[in-house]
Amino acid sequence: MEGLKIGFIGLGIMGKSMARNLHRAGFEVTVWNRTAAKMDEAKAEWGAHLADSPKDVAAQSDVVITLGGDTPDVREVVTGEEGVLAGARPGTVLIDMSTISPEATRELAELAAEQGVAMLDAPVSGGDVGARNGTLSIMVGGEEKVLEKVRPVLEAMGKTIVHCGPIGAGQTVKACNQILCGLNLLGMVEALAFAKKSGVDLEKMIQVTSQGAGGSWALANYGLRVVKGDLDPGFSVRFQQKDLRIVLAEAERMELPLLGTATVQQLLRAVQAHGGNEDGTQALVRVMEQLGNVEITPKQ
């Protein structure tokens, strides 16, 4: 993989760290982002090469990684007039690491294949911490031979890389992940409320339970943030809601009832209604405080 040129599109909370980790692994990285200031930051911080458009990124790259906010964003970045496919050469590999609709992923892969571009869907889990540390879990859909070709690229960003099946399978497994994230988040805030109402020290409760059968990533990583009043986004309510809309749309198509997931989605909608759209998902605690008339986060 020596000399491989990587294009990275999308320098948000996670993307900026993922692109930096590719650079640290020795890859030449060209970036593009809708907000130009984020590209300037990448250039100043670690010497990223800058592109004028997704088309320009693809023209300079052997592998193009996209990390967009939602399905329409990714579709535009890939298929637009100045999109990736307008600049990609046959043999280019497109890796979409966004969380989007599995159906849309399959459609994009078909369009890419018509131009000789192989595509993988490789959504991630691990939040801002995993992105910074290069320890993300990466769920990959697509041809296994393509995955093996670019595995060193993914290894620069993630610790656990699993081939889940054909194109779209990565997005399906990511949907499963978001179901679990939502329900673990709800379990965390309910446990915090129960402990607070009972007069138990919250940090001690987290210390013990995070190591037991009731432990979860949400409890271990977000629990102490909540106790300290830190509701800054590692992953925002807005994006969690986008992911849960994808989950529930797929569940509707399969005629599958997901009662817990739907409950979390509605509770997060209440967070949004009170101005918490850009807060971290741990801001779900605010709804629990209101419902239970209990103060869990310290007053600012």
Side-chain angles (χ1 to χ4, degrees), residues 1 4 6 22 27 63 65 95 150-157:
M1 301 298 287
L4 194 67
I6 309 297
L22 287 165
F27 295 107
V63 176
I65 296 169
I95 308 175
V150 300
R151 183 176 286 274
V153 176
L154 298 178
E155 286 175 341
M157 299 177 285

Side-chain angles (χ1 to χ4, degrees), residues 83-291:
V84 171
L85 294 182
R89 307 177 302 276
T92 300
V93 177
L94 170 61
I95 308 175
D96 180 37
M97 304 189 78
S98 320
T99 299
I100 64 172
S101 158
E103 182 180 0
T105 294
R106 289 186 285 269
E107 291 172 359
L108 291 174
E110 288 179 8
L111 292 172
E114 291 174 1
Q115 295 186 212
V117 174
M119 180 175 170
L120 299 174
D121 59 305
V124 302
S125 179
D128 59 331
V129 175
R132 284 197 305 272
N133 296 337
T135 56
L136 293 167
S137 292
I138 305 176
M139 306 150 236
V140 186
E143 293 187 20
E144 192 163 8
K145 64 180 181 181
V146 179
L147 168 58
E148 292 311 311
K149 179 180 178 181
V150 300
R151 183 176 286 274
V153 176
L154 298 178
E155 286 175 341
M157 299 177 285
K159 185 176 180 180
T160 302
I161 300 163
V162 178
H163 183 235
C164 300
I167 196 74
Q171 296 295 350
T172 299
V173 173
K174 178 59 186 289
C176 297
N177 182 81
Q178 296 310 84
I179 293 169
L180 292 165
C181 284
L183 293 175
N184 284 333
L185 193 67
L186 180 58
M188 177 195 75
V189 298
E190 290 194 353
L192 287 171
F194 189 88
K196 187 65 182 243
K197 279 275 192 177
S198 302
V200 170
D201 183 276
L202 296 183
E203 293 191 17
K204 290 181 180 179
M205 184 276 288
I206 293 168
Q207 179 184 359
V208 175
T209 58
S210 62
Q211 301 303 313
S216 67
W217 192 96
L219 181 62
N221 288 273
Y222 285 150
L224 290 178
R225 288 196 194 185
V226 168
V227 172
K228 294 174 182 177
D230 178 4
L231 303 183
D232 290 341
F235 192 66
S236 72
V237 170
R238 174 166 64 96
F239 285 128
Q240 180 73 4
Q241 286 292 69
K242 178 265 298 182
D243 292 353
L244 293 184
R245 284 196 298 272
I246 292 171
V247 169
L248 292 172
E250 286 293 299
E252 176 69 18
R253 183 181 63 80
M254 294 185 287
E255 298 183 350
L256 179 68
L258 297 180
L259 306 183
T261 303
T263 298
V264 173
Q265 195 266 345
Q266 290 297 307
L267 291 171
L268 286 173
R269 182 165 290 171
V271 176
Q272 291 175 301
H274 289 272
N277 201 43
E278 300 300 331
D279 287 338
T281 53
Q282 68 271 27
L284 182 62
V285 70
R286 287 177 171 161
V287 176
M288 181 54 61
E289 288 178 319
Q290 292 169 346
L291 291 173

